[in-house]
Amino acid sequence: QADSRLKALNATFRVKNPDKRFTELKHYSDELQSVISHLLRVRARVADRLYGVYKVHGNYGRVFSEWSAIEKEMGDGLQSAGHHMDVYAASIDDILEEEEHYADQLKEYLFYAEALRAVCRKHELMQYDLEMAAQDLTSKKQQCEELATGTVRTFSLKGMTSKLFGQETPEQREAKIKALEEQIQEGEEQLKSKNLEGRDFVKSAWADIERFKEQKNHDLKEALISYAVMQISMCKKGIQVWTNAKECFSKM
């Protein structure tokens, strides 16, 4: 796991030709997760305060009931108003349970955002492997050319070793050239395979990403509208409770 994390980190910082689409997608997924996390924290704080406000209304119910016991003409009205307040205080449990359902729909998109990032990391690793394979192939071709021509174009430990301890025999050089040619052939096949694998990955991943975008717009729109409708319904119930209480007071 440590090697895998290190490799992913290397890929992130060392890919020379990143795909702009995946770079932008990675940035978007980070922003999406940040926004939804913040939204959920705000919702949780509002829900906590709302719970407290509703439950405190139970105190109205208790006080009105106690007050009604010492009143003759006003007693029935106060008792009825207290009952409405008790019902109001108790209703918050069902409200928050319904609200949690919409919050769960938003929480799902925290995981979707992480899945998007995983796709981007996978692409970075594939691109990194591709670039390393291309670099290794170029290096082997250069070594092969240097052995064949006897010229060293870049400083290397091998070049210094040759100067210090003498040149290789033609047979040794021929054997090395043959080995390098085989490695170059294998490297070209490997590079071709990695290119094909990368293209297939991008094609299938991008199809999934387009579906995600379409589904995301639908799901989040639905969750936010449902949350707003629930808040409106909750406020209407609050108005109805106080309207009923007003009627109780009017009849005293």
Side-chain angles (χ1 to χ4, degrees), residues 27-71:
H27 178 69
Y28 170 76
S29 63
D30 289 340
E31 293 292 326
L32 179 63
Q33 192 167 47
S34 174
V35 167
I36 291 178
S37 295
H38 188 62
L39 182 65
L40 287 168
R41 285 196 295 271
V42 172
R43 185 213 67 85
R45 288 201 300 270
V46 170
D48 284 342
R49 292 178 186 180
L50 199 62
Y51 181 82
V53 169
Y54 266 72
K55 287 303 182 183
V56 168
H57 276 72
N59 292 342
Y60 279 135
R62 178 177 54 78
V63 172
F64 284 144
S65 294
E66 291 174 358
W67 191 2
S68 69
I70 62 171
E71 299 287 352

Side-chain angles (χ1 to χ4, degrees), residues 15 44 54-55 69 72-74 87 114 127 161 191-192:
V15 168
Y54 266 72
K55 287 303 182 183
K72 291 182 179 179
E73 295 179 5
M74 294 170 58
V87 170
E114 179 56 38
Q127 182 65 22
T161 304
L191 191 62
K192 184 179 176 181

Side-chain angles (χ1 to χ4, degrees), residues 198-224:
R199 284 197 296 270
D200 289 343
F201 174 80
V202 170
K203 184 179 178 181
S204 61
W206 211 253
D208 284 340
I209 288 162
E210 290 300 324
R211 280 197 296 273
F212 160 80
K213 289 178 180 177
E214 186 177 340
Q215 189 66 38
K216 176 212 67 177
N217 292 344
H218 174 270
D219 289 348
L220 293 182
K221 178 181 176 182
E222 184 182 81
L224 292 170

Side-chain angles (χ1 to χ4, degrees), residues 138-160 162 167-168 173-174 176-177 180-181 184:
T138 301
S139 175
K140 282 185 168 59
K141 284 182 176 179
Q142 184 179 322
Q143 288 178 43
C144 190
E145 182 186 342
E146 289 173 354
L147 283 170
T149 61
T151 58
V152 179
R153 291 189 298 176
T154 57
F155 173 82
S156 67
L157 187 60
K158 280 188 176 180
M160 287 297 296
S162 297
Q167 295 291 330
E168 297 167 320
R173 189 164 62 249
E174 191 66 34
K176 283 190 175 182
I177 290 172
L180 279 170
E181 285 175 344
I184 287 168

